[in-house]
Amino acid sequence: MELQAVLMAAGGGSRMMDLTYNTPKPLLPVGNKPLIWYPLNLLERVGFEEVIVITTKEVQKMISTDPKVKLDVKMKLDLVCIQEDADMGTADALRHIQQKVKTDVLVVSCDLITDAALHEVVDLFRAHNATLSMLMSKAHEFTETVPGQKGKKKTGEQRDFVGVDGTGKRLLFMANEADLDEGVVIRKSIMRKHPRMHIKTGLVDAHLYCLKKSVVDFLADNKSISSIRGELVPYLVRKQFSKSTNSPKVIDETHQNLKKNDKIQISSRDEELLHLTQERSCWNDHRGDMSDAYHGGRLRCYVHIMDEGICYRVNTLAAYIEANRLAPKLFDEPAVHPSAVVSERCLIGADSIIGASCQISDKTSIKRSTIGVSTTVREKVKVTNSIIMHGVTIEEGCNIQGSVICSNAVIGRGADIKYCLVGSHSTAREHNSKIAPEKRLTECHRAEVNITYHYKSITYNNCHKVSK
Amino acid sequence: MSSRGGKQKKGNVTSEQEEEEQPLQAVLVADSFNRRFFPISKDQPRALLPLGNVAMIDYTLEFLTSTGVQETFVFCCWMSNKIKDHLLKSKWCRPTSPNVVHIITSDLYRSLGDVLRDVDAKNLVRNDFILVYGDVVSNIDVSQALQEHRHRRKVDKNISVMTMVFKESSPGHKSRCEEDDVIVAMDSKSKRFSMGTDEFEIRHDLLDCHISICSPQVAELFTDNFDYQTRNDFVRGILVNEEILGNQIHLYVTQDGYGARVSNLQMYDSVSSDMVRRWVYPLTPEANFTDQQGQGCTHSRHNVYRGAEVSLGHGSQMEENVLIGRDTSIGANCHISNSVIGNNCTIGDNVVLDRAHMWNNVHISSNVEIHQSVVCDGAVVKEAVRLNKQCVLAYNVVIGPNLSLPEGTVVSMHHPEEEEEDDDDEFLSDDQEVGHSKDKTRQKAFNPAEVGPEGKGYIWKASMNDTEDEELAQCLWGLVLNPDPESDSESEASEESQDRTFQLEVLGTLQRGLEENIVCDNLVLEINSLKYAYNITLKEVMQILTRVVLEYPFQQQGTQLTTLQYTGSLLPLLKTWSPVFKNYIKRAQDHLDCLSAVEELFLEQDTHQTAMVKVLMKMYQLEILEEEAILKWFSTGATNDKSRQLRKNQGLQKFIQWLKEAEDESSEEGE
């Protein structure tokens, strides 16, 4: 076994609380499959047989009990639960399973939906005997209108500056705008070794990392690092160009650790031969001078930047909607589940998905939408550009456009919902009730919504109180 | 201004054809506006210094002509007469020359800015022009760059004002000038100098050829901004004001071709050797592109070039990359490699030359050894002289016999102090005055210890001037930067240095306290404010304070003190500063920290260990340290062999013994 796969599925989805209020992020339906299915499928496609899944108790329970989130994978899942309230970062989680890590690891986040060729990342890892290799992609502009978001999407997120060498593979520099005081500072010693550096912004980190086992051991020794993306990766990138000689003690020790671990691997993997070849060969990874390959550095970080293809991190509402729109393209299953009961006198676009045991009545029209499992759609309903999760009931004559309706919601007769987010277990029930565009209708917002709509004299009542 | 506006309008109206017909112009600045080549350039302007036996300005003119320049304005200032004479005699001023050379001289040019302002004032350029210095050696075909430049100007409505020519060469490349170590941020697609777009490239593998294609606006911009002195000022100004003024600078990167500016002797050395190794083809020594009589030479294997009438003695070897000018004779059993020898030189027997640059009419006697040095016209090197690396013998210097010049020696007939005197007149080149100063220097005697018994000349020392700029100006060979010490991380390094600066500051404070008799309370205040300024913990303050005080005698009187002298000067100090100590040493832990600092210092100064007891005793007597603390330190503090060794010191043991007894007594008394 060359690589062990680790799936991080304990995140709370803090950037899309409206959706994850009732459903944990890994189990959010995307194209009628739980989100976690996508990375699992990605791993299965490239031949992994076993995955360590780090998740919460809640998710574990739901996976084992809830039939709606059945994971359709043949791999052996090794579920490791961590406490939800412990506020553990990804690096903490990796440290948590250190005992299980026997070889190098491939860490994937549960919110990654991609059709990337995984071998590109792993090949970089292999070819350069890298410490870290990761996947990045060009950032996508989300074109769909997002419920509850007025105007254009704020560019609130701070940009990441990523520096790669002339070949675009070696990761030389990484900084977030937030950490920069005045401009980007790049050390000249790096420039001397890598005279051409492309600085890129507008890249998305896919949160897919190949890491040497020694890095996991290093984590075990350094409890202060809690996040892979936030701390570990920048640290490794920085460490590529520093010598251990004049670093302070703590880092010195870690370096020794790294080296020690390297040595352990040397014996286990014939790396002595590898070193010998490196010594003897005239190959090096740069041009212009005759110094050793990699300038004698032992730590190497690489990145594969996808130029095209799908790569989404479903961590915001906008990304969630976009992912749902694209999901049907990712796998070829019948758009309409065999067990769904669909009336012949309705119109279902080719780009829509109808989940299992749905009931779609006459004269409905469904375009560019996803209809979840066990959803009932009554007569004369028009659904466009929307995501309907599981167990939703939509009564007669509704018009739903550009909205997200969460699980078990009931949409009353004749409702007109445009660009809304309807929370799970909500009820929008009244004849001809109308919900104005761009409103979030969730439990947390309900009170507010009530007031607003009373004021605008649109009746909206009989809220169904839900136990948490 | 109005006339210029009119001209511009007219320029826009003129049809393309007319534009095409306009001859390509160039501005050649035959002055460096600095004194890097002093004292060599005291006698000859830099542009006329021979490189491969051809004046540098000829390379620049040949380069311009070959790229299709039809009209060149040569601007001279320093020793303009000589340049003028040279050019008038050269092929450029013959009627057949495809490149019309206008010589413009003025003693008032002090910088590139002045030259370009004059270009604007005289309305010399009508279209895009090439701007080069008189010491650029290049064979780059800039027509491609010119085309791109014109295209950009057509498309972007004159936004791009300048296209700079760069050559790709990795860091560490020989012809990269260490002082000119550029790092460029560019937009890879549009080849524009830029930052801040979504994606840009930072390049450290570019070599500035100092060739730039400028639009007429450049001269105007120099006029508008009278504080622009150099091209760097200009580039910086344009980039800073890019958003306001909308002007842009582009670059043109060439992969092949050669282009470098001889900005110091290091560069002179490397450009000269590149030339001999034929990197600047077709500008090679045997090409005789200056078309002068008798300059021709033959080219044979291993890049050995011989001029006419060269005689070579028996057993002499010309290994490789050697250029020998006409009428030069070389004695027997010489060994010459990577060297350029000028015309009319005589070289004796058993001479070793490696990377030597000898100009015309040089006389070298037998048994001389020269490594990587420049020997100017008319210099004489007598028997058994050895020139180590980076020596310079300026015009007409005589050296030897039997002398070895240390590395980096510069010898000139001009006295260095003379030079300082007529500092102000340096730009007002006046032959008379040079002659005058020569008279003065003659009055001063040559130092035989420096230049040999028969030597003539004065040693120019790399003067220790206060400002960095001047130091640079004096450094002929240019900076040789050590490879980056690869500081791990700036913050860590700076932290360490912060401790160090804090220590120095404390030392300064205490010193001042002694000199000016400042009250200890005020010293404490000062140290406290320093503590906050450098963000130092209390513990470190105490350790550093202890260290500074204990090292104070060494600091003042040198490290050669005997133990007795040391204690003699230290003990009164301890007494004066005891209030300062008492202020910082309060808790039990402070006592231990202070003691460990004392211990650490005496472990370093192991010859003075006997003084330690006296110091401890004094501190005890002054009630800086308590006896419990000392006892505790003595019993527990030992962590390694050395400190254990220290504790075995007899005097210390006695002191401890005495302390214990005193304690017993006092406790007994208490009872």
Side-chain angles (χ1 to χ4, degrees):
Chain A
M1 187 166 56
E2 186 197 358
L3 278 168
Q4 272 179 302
V6 177
L7 183 63
M8 297 284 176
S14 55
R15 272 179 280 190
M16 42 184 200
M17 288 305 279
D18 299 330
L19 290 175
T20 54
Y21 191 72
N22 273 86
T23 322
K25 184 164 92 165
L27 302 179
L28 277 180
V30 174
N32 281 344
K33 292 184 183 298
L35 185 52
I36 193 174
W37 178 85
Y38 291 89
L40 284 174
N41 180 259
L42 177 75
L43 294 171
E44 198 174 53
R45 275 202 314 255
V46 295
F48 279 99
E49 290 171 346
E50 202 180 325
V51 185
I52 301 171
V53 182
I54 299 174
T55 187
T56 54
K57 285 229 166 60
E58 191 191 359
V59 175
Q60 189 196 23
K61 206 172 122 197
M62 285 176 85
I63 287 177
S64 49
T65 57
D66 201 333
K68 274 184 283 194
V69 290
K70 207 184 93 207
L71 289 173
D72 189 19
V73 285
K74 296 180 190 74
M75 287 184 296
K76 189 184 154 205
L77 299 186
D78 183 359
L79 290 173
V80 178
C81 293
I82 57 168
Q83 282 175 335
E84 207 172 349
D85 50 351
D87 196 27
M88 282 170 88
T90 41
D92 294 319
L94 205 56
R95 190 179 300 131
H96 187 68
I97 57 153
Q98 194 220 350
Q99 299 301 323
K100 289 175 184 270
V101 175
K102 302 282 187 284
T103 63
D104 303 340
V105 289
L106 176 73
V107 180
V108 190
S109 166
C110 75
D111 53 11
L112 174 67
I113 297 184
T114 181
D115 61 352
L118 210 53
H119 69 85
E120 300 261 21
V121 182
V122 179
D123 281 351
L124 277 177
F125 188 68
R126 291 169 177 152
H128 300 284
N129 194 13
T131 313
L132 160 81
S133 71
M134 58 194 288
L135 177 70
M136 284 197 182
S137 158
K138 292 233 163 71
H140 299 272
E141 290 280 322
F142 296 116
T143 46
E144 303 282 307
T145 320
V146 177
Q149 227 165 48
K150 290 206 175 78
K152 277 199 169 176
K153 208 187 105 193
K154 282 176 286 175
T155 46
E157 293 238 341
Q158 264 145 335
R159 291 184 298 171
D160 266 324
F161 290 93
V162 175
V164 292
D165 71 350
T167 61
K169 301 285 185 205
R170 178 93 189 249
L171 188 56
L172 302 174
F173 177 79
M174 199 178 234
N176 190 279
E177 204 167 22
D179 304 331
L180 301 171
D181 301 332
E182 309 165 4
V184 182
V185 179
I186 294 165
R187 296 230 310 275
K188 204 174 171 189
S189 60
I190 305 180
M191 290 312 299
R192 191 159 289 147
K193 286 172 186 165
H194 301 274
R196 293 183 78 155
M197 188 194 285
H198 292 272
I199 301 280
K200 301 189 179 199
T201 58
L203 290 181
V204 192
D205 183 355
H207 286 229
L208 184 146
Y209 310 104
C210 278
L211 293 168
K212 275 250 182 298
K213 180 177 185 294
S214 56
V215 177
V216 182
D217 297 338
F218 161 76
L219 275 181
D221 295 334
N222 283 272
K223 303 252 178 337
S224 60
I225 296 178
S226 81
S227 146
I228 293 181
R229 178 61 177 81
E231 294 158 68
L232 180 67
V233 172
Y235 176 84
L236 290 175
V237 170
R238 229 172 29 242
K239 273 288 151 229
Q240 290 182 98
F241 300 101
S242 58
K243 285 208 166 147
S244 53
T245 46
N246 47 1
S247 48
K249 272 181 200 160
V250 190
I251 296 157
D252 223 7
E253 277 165 23
T254 63
H255 242 270
Q256 275 166 4
N257 271 333
L258 275 180
K259 275 182 193 160
K260 233 185 271 166
N261 290 325
D262 275 354
K263 269 177 198 152
I264 294 165
Q265 284 185 341
I266 286 167
S267 49
S268 66
R269 274 227 240 143
D270 293 336
E271 258 182 63
E272 243 162 58
L273 280 176
L274 211 146
H275 273 276
L276 200 66
T277 36
Q278 230 172 55
E279 252 170 52
R280 297 280 161 91
S281 92
C282 52
W283 176 84
N284 69 14
D285 65 326
H286 46 85
R287 61 183 289 257
D289 61 36
M290 309 266 286
S291 59
D292 290 350
Y294 310 113
H295 300 278
R298 306 189 66 122
L299 247 164
R300 295 185 277 278
C301 299
Y302 285 84
V303 60
H304 174 64
I305 298 173
M306 293 170 67
D307 285 330
E308 45 198 19
I310 300 168
C311 179
Y312 286 103
R313 286 204 61 223
V314 183
N315 54 5
T316 59
L317 188 55
Y320 177 73
I321 291 168
E322 192 77 14
N324 265 291
R325 204 171 57 76
L326 284 164
K329 294 178 193 163
L330 276 171
F331 49 89
D332 35 71
E333 279 178 34
V336 179
H337 197 274
S339 63
V341 182
V342 180
S343 156
E344 282 173 15
R345 294 171 61 196
C346 69
L347 199 77
I348 294 177
D351 40 11
S352 297
I353 301 175
I354 311 294
S357 44
C358 278
Q359 289 188 332
I360 312 281
S361 309
D362 293 349
K363 290 182 183 170
T364 53
S365 142
I366 296 170
K367 283 177 196 158
R368 298 185 69 201
S369 297
T370 314
I371 310 285
V373 176
S374 319
T375 292
T376 312
V377 181
R378 298 271 157 76
E379 288 87 358
K380 291 179 187 163
V381 170
K382 218 173 144 188
V383 180
T384 7
N385 258 340
S386 297
I387 300 158
I388 317 286
M389 292 193 196
H390 307 308
V392 176
T393 308
I394 302 172
E395 296 187 348
E396 292 94 336
C398 287
N399 185 4
I400 298 172
Q401 190 186 338
S403 300
V404 179
I405 314 284
C406 292
S407 300
N408 302 325
V410 179
I411 308 296
R413 197 180 302 166
D416 188 5
I417 299 177
K418 276 182 185 161
Y419 304 110
C420 287
L421 192 147
V422 179
S424 57
H425 297 276
S426 321
T427 316
R429 178 186 295 163
E430 183 60 33
H431 190 60
N432 287 339
S433 70
K434 216 173 187 179
I435 298 175
E438 299 186 353
K439 279 288 162 199
R440 287 168 187 230
L441 194 61
T442 59
E443 277 133 342
C444 28
H445 294 148
R446 185 177 296 157
E448 186 195 341
V449 169
N450 264 331
I451 294 161
T452 324
Y453 287 95
H454 277 299
Y455 179 69
K456 286 192 178 171
S457 72
I458 297 168
T459 43
Y460 171 77
N461 51 19
N462 197 8
C463 294
H464 182 78
K465 196 77 187 165
V466 185
S467 59
K468 282 183 184 171
Chain B
M1 282 302 279
S2 63
S3 71
R4 188 186 307 146
K7 189 194 79 187
Q8 246 182 354
K9 258 176 220 160
K10 213 177 89 192
N12 288 342
V13 171
T14 44
S15 66
E16 257 175 60
Q17 281 175 332
E18 254 179 89
E19 246 174 68
E20 299 272 310
E21 278 168 26
Q22 275 180 353
L24 180 58
Q25 294 171 311
V27 170
L28 192 156
V29 183
D31 201 320
S32 54
F33 305 114
N34 65 32
R35 304 161 76 185
R36 292 303 298 277
F37 273 66
F38 264 36
I40 301 175
S41 55
K42 251 177 141 9
D43 296 310
Q44 192 85 319
R46 194 199 287 191
L48 294 188
L49 300 184
L51 189 137
N53 293 344
V54 175
M56 287 202 264
I57 196 169
D58 289 329
Y59 288 97
T60 316
L61 282 167
E62 178 68 26
F63 153 70
L64 290 175
T65 311
S66 65
T67 48
V69 173
Q70 288 165 291
E71 193 175 10
T72 307
F73 300 98
V74 179
F75 287 83
C76 330
C77 170
W78 171 243
M79 299 206 167
S80 46
N81 293 341
K82 284 199 175 185
I83 299 177
K84 204 168 180 176
D85 288 348
H86 174 87
L87 289 179
L88 287 175
K89 269 188 268 171
S90 72
K91 76 166 183 181
W92 314 111
C93 287
R94 290 178 202 161
T96 52
S97 169
N99 184 0
V100 183
V101 174
H102 305 277
I103 304 163
I104 297 164
T105 62
S106 164
D107 293 335
L108 297 173
Y109 300 142
R110 300 264 158 156
S111 68
L112 177 71
D114 291 336
V115 169
L116 284 172
R117 278 185 274 275
D118 203 36
V119 167
D120 187 42
K122 290 181 177 155
N123 248 332
L124 293 175
V125 293
R126 296 175 294 276
N127 209 332
D128 296 339
F129 63 97
I130 299 176
L131 175 68
V132 283
Y133 282 98
D135 45 14
V136 169
V137 176
S138 170
N139 64 357
I140 296 170
D141 184 8
V142 293
S143 54
Q144 173 77 21
L146 202 65
Q147 223 166 26
E148 282 177 19
H149 180 79
R150 283 180 179 150
H151 177 73
R152 267 195 292 268
R153 285 182 59 77
K154 213 175 285 172
V155 172
D156 293 344
K157 300 258 176 343
N158 297 348
I159 280 179
S160 172
V161 290
M162 193 191 250
T163 300
M164 295 164 76
V165 177
F166 284 88
K167 177 177 154 34
E168 242 177 47
S169 66
S170 312
H173 190 279
K174 205 154 53 79
S175 59
R176 262 181 95 96
C177 179
E178 289 288 357
E179 289 152 34
D180 220 7
D181 211 20
V182 282
I183 295 184
V184 175
M186 63 183 279
D187 190 327
S188 353
K189 277 183 208 120
S190 64
K191 293 182 180 164
R192 186 161 70 88
F193 266 108
S194 71
M195 291 274 275
T197 42
D198 262 1
E199 207 178 316
F200 57 92
E201 199 179 353
I202 299 178
R203 299 189 66 163
H204 188 41
D205 62 341
L206 296 180
L207 185 152
D208 188 356
C209 300
H210 288 274
I211 300 165
S212 13
I213 300 165
C214 309
S215 31
Q217 273 159 286
V218 171
E220 291 163 22
L221 283 166
F222 266 99
T223 310
D224 293 346
N225 299 279
F226 52 84
D227 54 335
Y228 287 173
Q229 294 296 315
T230 61
R231 199 183 59 158
N232 278 350
D233 291 342
F234 173 77
V235 170
R236 211 162 289 146
I238 292 289
L239 292 183
V240 166
N241 296 322
E242 187 178 321
E243 272 163 27
I244 307 165
L245 300 173
N247 291 322
Q248 294 177 347
I249 297 180
H250 288 79
L251 27 75
Y252 172 79
V253 177
T254 172
Q255 261 147 3
D256 38 44
Y258 188 90
R261 185 180 173 204
V262 180
S263 49
N264 55 33
L265 279 185
Q266 197 85 47
M267 286 300 286
Y268 177 85
D269 185 33
S270 50
V271 170
S272 174
S273 72
D274 285 343
M275 220 271 303
V276 172
R277 289 182 172 93
R278 308 178 76 76
W279 284 106
V280 206
Y281 187 86
L283 302 185
T284 51
E286 87 277 11
N288 189 17
F289 59 86
T290 52
D291 200 19
Q292 270 170 342
Q293 282 264 306
Q295 267 291 0
C297 56
T298 58
H299 174 221
S300 45
R301 273 201 314 177
H302 304 306
N303 293 331
V304 173
Y305 305 85
R306 280 197 234 193
E309 306 291 326
V310 168
S311 73
L312 191 64
H314 182 72
S316 282
Q317 275 184 352
M318 293 192 285
E319 284 230 319
E320 52 172 1
N321 308 316
V322 177
L323 167 60
I324 298 176
R326 92 185 105 88
D327 298 326
T328 288
S329 67
I330 296 171
N333 297 320
C334 291
H335 196 94
I336 303 172
S337 58
N338 306 313
S339 297
V340 175
I341 299 170
N343 303 330
N344 280 321
C345 293
T346 49
I347 293 175
D349 299 337
N350 300 317
V351 171
V352 177
L353 302 178
D354 182 47
R355 292 177 77 186
H357 302 278
M358 288 169 24
W359 298 353
N360 302 327
N361 305 317
V362 174
H363 290 268
I364 307 268
S365 306
S366 301
N367 303 315
V368 169
E369 220 175 295
I370 298 181
H371 297 279
Q372 200 192 353
S373 295
V374 175
V375 182
C376 299
D377 285 1
V380 178
V381 180
K382 304 248 175 192
E383 289 233 340
V385 168
R386 184 188 158 90
L387 299 190
N388 285 315
K389 277 186 176 178
Q390 306 195 341
C391 284
V392 176
L393 302 186
Y395 292 90
N396 304 319
V397 162
V398 182
I399 290 288
N402 300 318
L403 190 74
S404 170
L405 287 187
E407 198 169 308
T409 315
V410 179
V411 186
S412 166
M413 290 306 283
H414 300 280
H415 197 277
E417 278 158 31
E418 204 59 49
E419 205 271 319
E420 305 286 324
E421 279 166 31
D422 47 38
D423 214 354
D424 298 330
D425 309 322
E426 59 163 311
F427 288 102
L428 309 171
S429 66
D430 200 348
D431 285 15
Q432 255 190 346
E433 202 170 336
V434 173
H436 180 61
S437 65
K438 257 183 199 164
D439 287 341
K440 267 201 269 178
T441 54
R442 289 243 166 76
Q443 293 160 9
K444 292 170 189 166
F446 306 117
N447 184 354
E450 287 174 347
V451 294
E454 296 164 36
K456 284 179 192 166
Y458 304 99
I459 299 265
W460 278 53
K461 293 200 176 66
S463 59
M464 295 301 178
N465 273 331
D466 25 21
T467 59
E468 214 170 282
D469 280 344
E470 281 188 49
E471 215 168 295
L472 257 182
Q474 300 291 342
C475 177
L476 266 170
W477 285 92
L479 280 177
V480 181
L481 296 179
N482 299 325
D484 211 11
E486 308 216 21
S487 59
D488 181 26
S489 138
E490 289 80 2
S491 62
E492 286 151 9
S494 70
E495 233 167 70
E496 207 164 89
S497 70
Q498 263 196 352
D499 277 8
R500 181 80 199 134
T501 41
F502 177 74
Q503 190 172 339
L504 288 177
E505 291 272 4
V506 169
L507 179 69
T509 310
L510 291 181
Q511 236 164 358
R512 209 150 28 80
L514 265 196
E515 283 160 14
E516 297 170 18
N517 230 343
I518 298 174
V519 194
C520 281
D521 284 351
N522 290 348
L523 286 183
V524 169
L525 271 181
E526 283 198 29
I527 294 174
N528 276 344
S529 65
L530 287 175
K531 167 181 176 290
Y532 291 116
Y534 292 96
N535 197 14
I536 304 273
T537 62
L538 202 59
K539 186 179 165 185
E540 283 171 315
V541 170
M542 200 166 46
Q543 283 171 340
I544 289 170
L545 180 70
T546 317
R547 172 166 276 268
V548 167
V549 170
L550 294 186
E551 278 179 351
Y552 195 82
F554 296 121
Q555 196 76 39
Q556 299 305 103
Q557 299 163 36
T559 48
Q560 306 302 324
L561 287 177
T562 63
T563 312
L564 212 61
Q565 282 171 319
Y566 172 70
T567 48
S569 53
L570 180 67
L571 295 184
L573 290 176
L574 278 176
K575 187 166 181 176
T576 355
W577 288 327
S578 66
V580 182
F581 275 104
K582 279 182 193 161
N583 185 65
Y584 289 104
I585 303 175
K586 282 179 179 149
R587 296 165 301 153
Q589 186 58 42
D590 300 339
H591 288 270
L592 287 181
D593 288 338
C594 176
L595 277 165
S596 65
V598 173
E599 180 185 341
E600 196 183 322
L601 183 106
F602 280 102
L603 282 176
E604 279 170 32
Q605 304 277 354
D606 41 8
T607 48
H608 297 298
Q609 278 186 3
T610 41
M612 184 176 175
V613 186
K614 289 192 177 141
V615 171
L616 287 180
M617 185 74 182
K618 189 76 185 173
M619 286 174 106
Y620 172 69
Q621 281 170 348
L622 291 167
E623 292 175 353
I624 298 171
L625 295 171
E626 287 171 7
E627 58 186 51
E628 291 99 30
I630 298 176
L631 290 175
K632 191 176 176 200
W633 162 78
F634 184 77
S635 55
T636 60
T639 46
N640 53 14
D641 285 346
K642 269 197 168 176
S643 52
R644 246 169 254 136
Q645 198 70 38
L646 184 79
R647 281 170 177 67
K648 284 188 186 137
N649 185 317
Q650 272 200 344
L652 188 60
Q653 295 219 338
K654 265 187 198 162
F655 171 62
I656 296 293
Q657 194 66 35
W658 176 79
L659 269 185
K660 274 182 186 163
E661 278 164 15
E663 191 187 24
D664 288 346
E665 270 169 36
S666 66
S667 57
E668 271 166 29
E669 273 169 30
E671 279 166 13

